[in-house]
């Protein structure tokens, strides 16, 4: 059990770093010329990160939907998420207004706009809202997970309606057919809830080596196809097309499944040292996710951006710096008891 958990601790840290890389590489992605070399570089970096959000959903579900767990403490979990949402929302919404107030530049309009941002949350806080919805559905998820055949049935339907049908109807421009499929109203099959259950399913399912190898091949193919299809779509339309980056794209599902399965079965993690360090880093990933956009925004504010110099260098440098500063912030917050309770999710 300990070995399994450490593997997923490492995966959580990797996914956290990928999230930072995603937002650094995407910060000016929709600004540069789609026909330029910088756009291709940004797209490649961006494509490499798109497994991260689905993996976070999978890791959350992995430890929460086990049918052996009792449906107790769910209200406390949900209230904790709501508290975290509004604490972090206040941090992002009111920082500028507070600075203006200290300068004596108080404006009712500024505070009204800040209050609106506080209510709806910062751009990356959609993840908490969706996670809260998943928490509400935990008793349902546990009932599905309790019966292996029902779990498999749900995941098959999820793959068909979430990935296969949209891929086919999109490829052959069958918008009318897709509209008829959408009219069935099976919303629980067209969202990210399936990732929540997929993490548990892949963890408890023994996958034969031959099948794993096939999934790895498909995953590598998806990694290569994602930037290619994105660049081609953007240049063909003259716009910034994010379709192939979406967690609802089949290429992202294949990439995500391959990475998750690799971490589950890789023997390299049998030799992981400093187990407690990885556990601690894993505990910091929520803070890193919530804080890293603050670092990116402040860097951009002083003119340090991905287009300040060549993207092939600026993106990894800014990613490492942002991740490092966010990690330091998590370390400091974790050692201040009051702050720790308000901003950390353990």
């Amino acid at each position: 059990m300990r070995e399994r958990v450490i593997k997923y601790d490492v995966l959580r840290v990797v996914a956290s770093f990928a999230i930072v890389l995603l937002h650094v590489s995407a910060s000016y992605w929709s600004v540069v010329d789609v026909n330029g070399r910088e756009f291709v570089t940004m797209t490649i970096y961006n494509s490499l990160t798109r497994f991260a959000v689905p993996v976070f959903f999978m890791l959350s579900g992995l430890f929460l939907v086990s049918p052996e767990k009792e449906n107790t403490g769910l209200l406390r979990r949900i209230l904790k998420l709501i508290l975290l949402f509004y604490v972090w929302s206040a941090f992002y919404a009111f920082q500028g207004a507070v600075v203006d107030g200290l300068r004596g530049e108080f404006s009712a309009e500024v505070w009204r706009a800040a209050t609106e941002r506080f209510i709806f949350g910062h751009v990356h806080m959609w993840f908490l809202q969706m996670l809260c919805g998943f928490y509400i559905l935990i008793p349902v998820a546990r009932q599905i997970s309790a019966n292996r055949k029902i779990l498999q049935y749900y995941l098959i339907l999820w793959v068909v309606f979430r990935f296969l049908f949209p891929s086919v109807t999109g490829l052959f421009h069958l918008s009318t057919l897709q509209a008829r499929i959408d009219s069935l109203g099976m919303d629980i099959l067209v969202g990210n809830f399936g990732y929540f259950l997929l993490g548990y399913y892949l963890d408890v399912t023994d996958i034969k080596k031959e099948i794993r190898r096939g999934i790895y091949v498909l995953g590598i193919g998806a990694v290569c196809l994602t930037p290619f299809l994105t660049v081609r779509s953007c240049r063909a339309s003259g716009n910034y097309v994010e379709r192939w980056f979406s967690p609802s794209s089949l290429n992202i599902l294949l990439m995500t499944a391959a990475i998750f399965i690799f971490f589950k079965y890789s023997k390299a993690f049998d030799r992981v040292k400093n187990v407690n360090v990885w556990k601690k880093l894993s505990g910091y990933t929520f803070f890193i996710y919530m804080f890293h956009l603050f670092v990116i925004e402040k860097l951009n504010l002083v003119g340090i951006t991905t287009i300040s110099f060549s993207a092939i260098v600026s993106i990894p440098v800014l990613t490492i710096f942002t991740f490092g500063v966010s990690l330091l912030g998590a370390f400091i917050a974790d050692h201040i008891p009051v702050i720790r309770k308000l901003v950390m999710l353990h």
Side-chain angles (χ1 to χ4, degrees):
M1 175 64 74
R2 194 178 89 161
E3 175 188 328
R4 178 183 63 82
V5 171
I6 292 307
K7 290 182 178 185
Y8 294 142
D9 282 336
V10 176
L11 177 56
R12 191 183 299 274
V13 175
V14 171
S16 178
F17 185 84
I19 287 288
V20 178
L21 176 58
L22 186 159
H23 286 135
V24 170
S25 60
S27 57
Y28 280 81
W29 181 78
S30 60
V31 174
V32 297
D33 181 9
V34 296
N35 295 303
R37 186 175 299 175
E38 293 291 87
F39 178 77
V40 175
T41 301
M42 291 180 179
T43 302
I44 292 173
Y45 276 122
N46 203 332
S47 299
L48 294 173
T49 70
R50 291 294 167 162
F51 70 92
V53 169
V55 157
F56 271 127
F57 286 136
M58 292 172 72
L59 290 173
S60 297
L62 168 65
F63 296 106
L64 292 174
V65 305
S66 173
E68 288 79 20
K69 290 182 176 291
E70 297 290 335
N71 292 320
T72 57
L74 292 181
L75 180 60
R76 179 176 55 82
R77 288 179 181 274
I78 293 168
L79 292 176
K80 174 67 173 179
L81 276 182
I82 294 172
L83 172 65
L84 287 168
F85 180 90
Y86 283 109
V87 167
W88 280 103
S89 187
F91 171 75
Y92 278 100
F94 293 115
Q95 55 179 298
V98 169
V99 171
D100 288 343
L102 292 174
R103 290 175 176 172
E105 302 173 358
F106 177 82
S107 167
E109 182 62 32
V110 169
W111 281 93
R112 187 159 44 246
T115 301
E116 186 174 317
R117 290 196 301 272
F118 167 71
I119 293 171
F120 292 103
H122 201 56
V123 61
H124 66 315
M125 292 175 63
W126 65 270
F127 182 84
L128 266 72
Q129 298 178 72
M130 191 169 290
L131 196 59
C132 187
F134 290 170
Y135 278 17
I136 293 172
L137 290 172
I138 282 176
V140 177
R142 287 176 180 166
Q143 287 299 309
I144 295 173
S145 300
N147 188 310
R148 188 176 186 83
K149 289 185 177 180
I150 292 177
L151 176 58
Q152 290 173 336
Y153 179 67
Y154 172 85
L155 289 174
I156 290 171
L157 290 178
W158 176 65
V159 170
V160 169
F161 283 92
R162 172 73 159 161
F163 302 96
L164 296 184
F165 278 163
S167 296
V168 172
T169 56
L171 180 63
F172 295 102
H173 307 290
L174 303 173
S175 57
T176 302
L177 176 58
Q178 186 60 50
R180 300 313 303 160
I181 294 171
D182 294 341
S183 70
L184 295 175
M186 295 192 290
D187 294 347
I188 198 171
L189 294 175
V190 294
N192 289 320
F193 186 63
Y195 282 115
F196 203 59
L197 288 166
L198 182 62
Y200 173 79
Y201 178 75
L202 291 180
D203 180 59
V204 300
T205 301
D206 184 33
I207 304 172
K208 294 180 179 179
K209 185 178 292 186
E210 295 77 13
I211 296 176
R212 294 203 307 265
R213 288 174 178 171
I215 293 174
Y216 294 153
V217 170
L218 291 173
I220 293 170
V223 170
C224 298
L225 273 176
T226 301
F228 171 76
L229 292 172
T230 300
V231 171
R232 190 183 69 169
S233 298
C234 291
R235 290 180 174 176
S237 65
N239 292 313
Y240 300 93
V241 180
E242 298 187 52
R243 170 189 173 188
W244 304 106
F245 288 161
S246 171
S248 64
S249 293
L250 184 60
N251 53 302
I252 302 303
L253 172 65
L254 294 172
M255 183 192 308
T256 302
I259 290 172
F260 189 93
I261 292 169
F262 172 77
F263 270 81
K264 176 185 175 181
Y265 285 98
S266 175
K267 298 298 183 181
F269 300 101
D270 295 340
R271 299 184 295 274
V272 168
K273 298 180 180 179
N274 301 317
V275 168
N276 291 330
V277 172
W278 284 108
K279 287 183 177 180
K280 181 65 71 173
L281 289 175
S282 178
Y284 288 166
T285 54
F286 175 81
F287 184 96
I288 292 170
Y289 177 84
M290 298 306 301
F291 188 74
H292 77 279
L293 270 188
F294 173 79
V295 180
I296 294 173
E297 289 171 357
K298 297 314 170 191
L299 287 173
N300 290 346
L301 193 64
V302 298
I304 303 175
T305 71
T306 54
I307 58 175
S308 297
F309 46 104
S310 176
I312 198 170
V313 176
S314 67
I315 290 175
V317 168
L318 292 179
T319 298
I320 293 170
F321 177 82
T322 301
F323 186 84
V325 171
S326 301
L327 180 60
L328 177 62
F331 177 80
I332 294 171
D334 194 41
H335 287 78
I336 304 175
V338 175
I339 300 298
R340 181 179 187 273
K341 290 183 178 181
L342 289 174
V343 302
M344 306 286 281
L345 177 64
H346 288 290

